[in-house]
Amino acid sequence: MDALLSALLLQAGYNTALVSIGAALLGASAGAIGTFVLLRKRSLVTDAISHATLPGLGLAFLVMALAAGDGRWMPGLLVGAALSAGLGLLAVVWITRRTRLTEDVAIGAVLSVFFGLGVVLLTVIQSLNTGGQAGLSGFLLGSTAGMLRSEAETIAVAAAITGLAVFLLRRPFTLVCFDQDYAATRGINVRAVDLAMMGLVLAVTVIGLKVAGLVLIVALTIIPPVAARFWTNRPDRMVVIAASLGAAAAYGGAVISALGEGLPTGALIVLLAFALFLLSLIFSPVRGVMAGSYARFLLRKRVHERQGLLALARGEPIYDPLTMRVLRRAGYVRGDGVPSLEGRAAAAAAVRDEALWDLYRRLFPAEAANVEYQGLIPIGQALPPDMVADLEARLAPKGA
């Protein structure tokens, strides 16, 4: 426990602190760009990009090992992975635009072919008499144990630059995600914005290979944005929340991984991200399961109360036990089933309200279609006072 607390407080050594900060920056960048990719409905593209990095890693390792005797130079491996991932992304785009195949089919084909080629290259590399092959396995599931200081600095700086680029491009990204036609009328080059978005996804994927691994880095671009969606309906807040959740999951996974040799960083990051997703799914007050259940309970109660009051006003018997229970708890009906004075007044108000709602729906059908819970809440709570006064004035001659 002391070791965990020390690592969380960045007191477990310079390298561990640097790796943890770099992982947090990477998680924040992945969550932010993943939000736009999710809103653009292209999340699965990140899966193809991540798997397409494997052949590039293998080829870069082979070239550097044959040329210099050591193929583990981090910048060289990342350049190879980026070129390979870029080629995979271009292949997905080409197949989608030049054939009748859909994007998910293209992603599946590119993902499997590139990953298969990468596995073959890794098998060949393992049979060679060059040093450092074992380090390549860390790119599959992520491993920060034994990471060099220069590698940690490279990841931290690259993640910070990527996060800054996402922040600067957030406005065109948002416009293109929600209405690309409107964005085009504003002079925004939609194709260039899409290219920039995919380029940043590619950058995050390549940077995160050593931390989260190529198999699981895709989770950092999908899970935090999905979890953030439960907390807000506004895209700007969703980006901030997704970046925060991604940073927390990546930071926690890197810290726990640093405590023991051989702990897979990527798997720990994904598990922590999933835990945050579950918390969001259950406890979010905006779109969470508990909030949804409570809202449905209130709606059901409101329906029974309204129908019960209208039945009281018409002098009709109430057979539904739930309706009767709701009216009793509200004090509208006594224990023997007779309406109270409050119940009679509420019933009269409900009838008057129902007539006003009916008139509003006939006069303004388009506006009425956009009003939630019409007929279930007092009209004075849904419409402005001048509109209610106008409806009452129109209704008065009919009632006279």
Side-chain angles (χ1 to χ4, degrees):
M1 184 56 73
D2 290 341
L4 176 61
L5 187 61
S6 177
L8 285 173
L9 297 177
L10 302 178
Q11 295 176 353
Y14 180 79
N15 266 21
T16 302
L18 192 60
V19 169
S20 302
I21 293 173
L25 291 172
L26 172 70
S29 302
I33 189 61
T35 300
F36 295 111
V37 176
L38 176 70
L39 295 175
R40 193 73 172 133
K41 300 178 180 177
R42 303 193 68 188
S43 294
L44 281 180
V45 174
T46 58
D47 203 15
I49 291 175
S50 63
H51 283 77
T53 58
L54 189 55
L57 281 172
L59 289 173
F61 181 89
L62 283 173
V63 171
M64 290 189 293
L66 294 175
D70 186 0
R72 293 181 301 172
W73 187 53
M74 172 73 81
L77 292 173
L78 295 185
V79 169
L83 292 174
S84 177
L87 186 61
L89 180 60
L90 289 176
V92 171
V93 174
W94 187 87
I95 292 173
T96 305
R97 290 183 179 174
R98 299 286 182 175
T99 70
R100 293 186 178 181
L101 298 176
T102 56
E103 189 175 68
D104 57 336
V105 175
I107 289 171
V110 171
L111 181 154
S112 54
V113 170
F114 274 72
F115 190 69
L117 176 60
V119 171
V120 171
L121 287 173
L122 284 185
T123 306
V124 172
I125 290 172
Q126 297 300 326
S127 64
L128 298 178
N129 292 323
T130 58
Q133 298 98 320
L136 284 180
S137 60
F139 287 94
L140 292 175
L141 298 176
S143 175
T144 56
M147 187 182 291
L148 300 176
R149 175 176 174 174
S150 59
E151 296 175 346
E153 289 174 345
T154 300
I155 292 172
V157 172
I161 293 174
T162 306
L164 179 62
V166 175
F167 176 76
L168 294 175
L169 293 171
R170 67 190 187 285
R171 295 191 186 284
F173 281 172
T174 304
L175 274 176
V176 170
C177 285
F178 281 95
D179 194 337
Q180 64 177 21
D181 295 332
Y182 175 70
T185 61
R186 295 287 303 270
I188 294 176
N189 188 329
V190 175
R191 192 168 181 178
V193 170
D194 270 336
L195 190 63
M197 196 183 297
M198 289 300 106
L200 287 174
V201 170
L202 191 151
V204 166
T205 303
V206 172
I207 296 166
L209 287 178
K210 187 66 176 175
V211 177
L214 64 91
V215 177
L216 299 173
I217 182 62
V218 63
L220 265 183
T221 62
I222 295 179
I223 297 178
V226 172
R229 189 68 183 90
F230 288 107
W231 292 95
T232 181
N233 293 318
R234 296 185 54 177
D236 52 345
R237 293 178 183 174
M238 186 177 166
V239 172
V240 175
I241 296 172
S244 303
L245 294 176
Y251 182 81
V255 165
I256 297 174
S257 173
L259 297 178
E261 188 175 350
L263 288 176
T265 314
L268 291 169
I269 290 175
V270 171
L271 290 176
L272 287 177
F274 183 68
L276 294 174
F277 167 79
L278 276 183
L279 290 175
S280 304
L281 172 68
I282 297 172
F283 297 110
S284 167
V286 180
R287 300 167 68 96
V289 173
M290 292 184 68
S293 300
Y294 184 64
R296 286 192 293 275
F297 166 75
L298 289 181
L299 177 63
R300 187 181 179 197
K301 178 185 173 187
R302 192 173 292 166
V303 170
H304 281 272
E305 181 179 301
R306 190 73 170 188
Q307 294 303 317
L309 288 175
L310 291 176
L312 288 181
R314 299 184 192 114
E316 299 172 350
I318 299 174
Y319 299 107
D320 185 60
L322 178 58
T323 302
M324 187 58 78
R325 194 160 55 245
V326 169
L327 293 177
R328 280 179 182 147
R329 286 179 179 173
Y332 295 147
V333 173
R334 299 188 318 217
D336 56 1
V338 177
S340 64
L341 290 178
E342 293 81 2
R344 295 181 188 280
V351 171
R352 176 75 176 176
D353 222 49
E354 189 72 10
L356 291 173
W357 274 118
D358 182 61
L359 179 61
Y360 180 68
R361 281 191 288 266
R362 283 190 281 115
L363 294 176
F364 309 101
E367 291 83 352
N370 295 321
V371 178
E372 291 185 334
Y373 305 127
Q374 52 172 294
L376 294 179
I377 58 175
I379 196 168
Q381 295 181 11
L383 300 182
D386 56 339
M387 174 61 75
V388 177
D390 179 60
L391 292 173
E392 288 178 337
R394 291 170 183 261
L395 194 62
K398 295 181 179 179

